[in-house]
């Protein structure tokens, strides 16, 4: 199956700074609109989810990856293909749980937080929580219910940023026909 | 299949007033090779415009969401078999009302076939059983004062309701196809072949189906289907005002899809004999 290499939208490069700044403006506006950080986190996750359920189609249309039959495969695709494609970074995969249903994505450098310093009054804000929503939404569309959350964040003084992914179940009821 | 009938009726019609219809009839001959044997057709008049129409080899595109609902449909072919004739009173055809359409019930002649629908009266398209200005077709044709009248007949087009129904039916057939398989993990229907067209279906991992109806000899449909998937993800899904699973009404999607079809038609090489 041949894929056209040059696509109109792909060749367009845009400043990653503008992207980072836009995301910053979004989060600060949410902080103004909502009283507490919990609500902001929730909103970010919701927005991410809505992005994820659409982004997955773009990802599948473009990357030519097939269905994953194992969570380890999924982890690999997320880190090596998806993150690379959309954020230009390749997180490392570590801390597998013995049952193989949980792992961590370690982001050594998170492009969303390039210029960010978290003020003291927003100590419980999860600044990049959008990413968790994206992961959750995208995987839900390929019939995988997962939980994604930040457990370490460089903004909060940790040395790395860590997203913990937990596999919950396969969503069998909307499995498309012909997919076992 | 019903479509085959309409193609076979193609050569019997020699209409030059309507370029679209003539082009369609010519394409019909190209598509169904056995039409050549019927021999009844007039010698093809090779106008450049008609040739362009004859090269159209992708007929329709359907997009079906994961619940089996039709969310997009595009026809890119000219009607194949149409006949226009001027009648004087009384009408020497028996017309009947069927399914909100006026069909020819009896009296096959001059390329007008039983089962053809009244498409236009005096050049104005009819709207189901009503004329363009809202009168009932049968009543209008029953009035001697309206004659002479020119009526265009043709194979009734699928209504959007019928398309919706057929799309969800195909969705079920696709599922049945994969269940019938003796092998584990078989996909659903990927291709259906008739003697005048092939139906190609591509289901994404998320369950959306892209269906393309094309000339049996049209090549490169697999990559066209992937391309349509990309266009869908770009111009429907990335439009923030498009809601998931809902009918696609996006200008950019339309434009880019038509462009992709054109490119595919030009690139897809026909096999020998064309």
């Amino acid at each position: 199956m041949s894929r056209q290499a040059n696509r109109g939208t792909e060749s367009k490069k845009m400043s990653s700074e503008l992207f980072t700044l836009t995301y910053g403006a979004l989060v600060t506006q949410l902080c103004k609109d909502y009283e507490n950080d919990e609500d902001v986190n929730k909103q970010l996750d919701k927005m991410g989810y809505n992005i994820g359920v659409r982004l997955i189609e773009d990802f599948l249309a473009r990357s030519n990856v097939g269905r994953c039959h194992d969570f380890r495969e999924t982890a690999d695709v997320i880190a090596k293909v998806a993150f690379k494609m959309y954020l230009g970074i390749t997180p490392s995969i570590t801390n597998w749980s013995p049952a193989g249903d949980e792992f961590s994505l370690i982001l050594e450098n998170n492009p969303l937080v390039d210029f960010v310093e978290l003020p003291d009054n927003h100590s419980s804000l999860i600044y990049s929580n959008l990413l968790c929503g994206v992961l959750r939404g995208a995987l839900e569309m390929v019939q995988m219910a997962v939980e994604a959350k930040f457990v370490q964040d460089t903004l909060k003084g940790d040395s790395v940023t860590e997203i913990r992914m937990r596999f919950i179940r396969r969503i069998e009821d909307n499995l498309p026909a012909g997919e076992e | 299949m019903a479509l085959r009938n309409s193609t076979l009726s193609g050569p019997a019609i020699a209409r030059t007033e309507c370029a679209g219809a003539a082009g369609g009839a010519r394409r019909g001959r190209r598509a169904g090779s056995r039409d050549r044997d019927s021999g009844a057709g007039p010698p093809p008049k090779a106008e450049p415009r008609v040739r362009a129409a004859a090269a159209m080899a992708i007929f329709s595109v359907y997009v079906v969401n994961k619940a089996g609902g039709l969310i997009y449909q595009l026809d890119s072919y000219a009607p194949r078999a149409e006949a226009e004739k001027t009648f004087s009173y009384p009408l020497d055809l028996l017309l009947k009302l069927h399914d909100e359409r006026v069909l020819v019930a009896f009296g096959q002649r001059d390329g007008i076939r039983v089962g053809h629908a009244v498409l236009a009266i005096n050049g104005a398209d009819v709207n189901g059983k009503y004329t363009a200005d809202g009168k009932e077709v049968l009543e209008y044709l029953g009035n001697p004062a309206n004659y002479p009248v020119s009526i265009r007949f043709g194979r009734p087009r699928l209504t959007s309701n019928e398309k919706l129904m057929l799309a969800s039916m195909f969705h079920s057939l696709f599922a049945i196809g994969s269940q019938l398989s003796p092998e584990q993990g078989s996909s659903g229907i990927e291709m259906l072949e008739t003697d005048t067209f092939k139906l190609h279906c591509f289901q994404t991992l998320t369950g959306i189906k892209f269906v393309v109806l094309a000339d049996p000899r049209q090549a490169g449909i697999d990559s066209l289907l992937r391309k349509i998937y990309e266009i869908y993800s770009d111009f429907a899904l990335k439009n923030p005002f498009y809601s998931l699973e809902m009918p696609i009404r996006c200008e950019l999607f339309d434009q880019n899809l038509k462009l992709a079809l054109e490119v595919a038609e030009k690139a897809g090489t026909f096999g020998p004999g064309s």
Side-chain angles (χ1 to χ4, degrees):
Chain A
M1 214 158 280
S2 68
R3 277 189 7 95
Q4 279 85 357
N6 53 337
R7 295 170 11 84
T9 43
E10 217 164 44
S11 53
K12 271 185 225 151
K13 285 260 185 285
M14 97 170 209
S15 152
S16 71
E17 265 184 33
L18 177 64
F19 168 65
T20 309
L21 293 175
T22 310
Y23 185 73
L26 174 88
V27 177
T28 48
Q29 186 60 45
L30 282 175
C31 288
K32 278 179 206 152
D33 291 351
Y34 290 90
E35 296 277 309
N36 62 54
D37 292 347
E38 293 305 316
D39 288 343
V40 177
N41 295 342
K42 218 180 275 170
Q43 282 303 316
L44 283 172
D45 181 76
K46 222 187 258 177
M47 285 180 194
Y49 176 83
N50 289 332
I51 295 174
V53 295
R54 290 164 181 250
L55 198 64
I56 183 71
E57 306 284 2
D58 182 73
F59 176 70
L60 294 174
R62 205 142 303 184
S63 63
N64 246 341
V65 299
R67 182 172 293 280
C68 298
H69 295 284
D70 177 52
F71 204 41
R72 284 172 195 276
E73 229 175 297
T74 313
D76 263 3
V77 172
I78 290 173
K80 298 201 178 102
V81 192
F83 267 86
K84 182 90 200 129
M85 207 156 133
Y86 294 109
L87 289 176
I89 53 172
T90 311
S92 46
I93 304 163
T94 51
N95 297 342
W96 276 99
S97 67
D101 62 346
E102 273 186 54
F103 68 91
S104 291
L105 290 165
I106 308 286
L107 286 71
E108 253 132 56
N109 117 53
N110 175 0
L112 292 179
V113 300
D114 278 352
F115 314 111
V116 182
E117 286 171 43
L118 220 51
D120 293 337
N121 59 340
H122 282 302
S123 55
S124 55
L125 175 69
I126 310 171
Y127 185 83
S128 311
N129 208 29
L130 190 96
L131 293 182
C132 294
V134 173
L135 288 167
R136 185 167 64 87
L139 289 176
E140 185 177 305
M141 295 304 274
V142 285
Q143 294 83 43
M144 237 182 280
V146 298
E147 180 191 271
K149 60 173 193 274
F150 277 92
V151 288
Q152 286 191 76
D153 197 337
T154 44
L155 287 180
K156 293 181 177 158
D158 300 314
S159 56
V160 288
T161 300
E162 176 180 352
I163 302 176
R164 189 78 180 153
M165 301 276 291
R166 187 168 70 85
F167 177 82
I168 301 172
R169 66 187 175 91
R170 284 261 280 169
I171 308 167
E172 300 286 352
D173 45 335
N174 52 9
L175 203 64
E179 301 280 353
E180 301 294 308
Chain B
M1 296 220 67
L3 242 162
R4 183 205 305 163
N5 295 337
S6 87
T7 317
L8 285 175
S9 72
I13 295 134
R15 290 242 320 118
T16 41
E17 295 109 285
C18 175
R26 265 185 56 68
R27 171 162 43 73
R29 274 197 298 287
R30 285 168 53 106
S33 55
R34 48 148 120 171
D35 289 7
R36 295 212 177 91
D37 309 339
S38 65
K45 292 184 185 109
E47 290 168 46
R49 206 157 37 119
V50 173
R51 279 211 177 280
M56 297 282 274
I58 292 164
F59 305 140
S60 303
V61 178
Y62 291 73
V63 181
V64 181
N65 72 13
K66 58 185 90 156
L70 182 65
I71 56 169
Y72 186 82
Q73 202 276 331
L74 175 82
D75 281 328
S76 71
Y77 59 91
R80 290 149 182 251
E82 290 187 358
E84 189 155 5
K85 195 169 179 274
T86 307
F87 294 90
S88 53
Y89 191 80
L91 200 62
D92 50 357
L93 292 168
L94 187 63
L95 299 179
K96 66 168 178 188
L97 199 62
H98 182 256
D99 221 6
E100 297 295 297
R101 273 196 211 117
V102 181
L103 301 183
V104 178
F106 197 66
Q108 185 160 298
R109 47 182 298 214
D110 300 334
I112 300 165
R113 307 236 154 187
V114 169
H116 276 187
V118 174
L119 296 180
I121 293 178
N122 291 331
D125 283 350
V126 304
N127 182 12
K129 58 176 182 170
Y130 298 103
T131 60
D133 41 0
K135 281 177 250 165
E136 278 208 37
V137 169
L138 285 179
E139 218 174 286
Y140 183 85
L141 294 176
N143 183 355
N146 293 325
Y147 285 78
V149 66
S150 145
I151 310 176
R152 190 163 85 232
F153 291 93
R155 178 168 179 259
R157 291 270 199 138
L158 292 175
T159 65
S160 34
N161 246 342
E162 284 169 331
K163 283 172 185 164
L164 225 76
M165 212 172 66
L166 292 174
S168 69
M169 223 179 271
F170 179 75
H171 178 79
S172 317
L173 278 177
F174 187 95
I176 293 170
S178 74
Q179 282 186 3
L180 274 177
S181 160
E183 289 287 324
Q184 254 277 307
S186 167
S187 77
I189 298 168
E190 286 182 344
M191 194 175 46
L192 269 176
E193 193 166 352
T194 74
D195 58 354
T196 56
F197 74 96
K198 269 188 195 166
L199 177 152
H200 304 258
C201 176
F202 166 58
Q203 178 174 255
T204 70
L205 292 183
T206 52
I208 293 155
K209 287 186 196 64
F210 297 94
V211 179
V212 167
L213 307 189
D215 187 290
R217 288 168 300 166
Q218 175 77 35
I221 297 287
D222 278 351
S223 54
L224 172 68
L225 285 166
R226 299 292 301 196
K227 181 78 191 161
I228 296 175
Y229 188 20
E230 282 184 26
I231 292 171
Y232 166 76
S233 69
D234 275 348
F235 299 103
L237 290 181
K238 285 183 196 167
N239 175 356
F241 295 104
Y242 168 72
S243 15
L244 281 180
E245 310 274 299
M246 296 304 276
I248 304 170
R249 294 203 182 84
C250 308
E251 197 65 15
L252 280 172
F253 178 77
D254 261 338
Q255 283 170 17
N256 284 280
L257 180 63
K258 281 175 188 157
L259 205 71
L261 293 187
E262 266 172 45
V263 171
E265 274 173 350
K266 278 188 197 128
T269 46
F270 277 114
S274 68

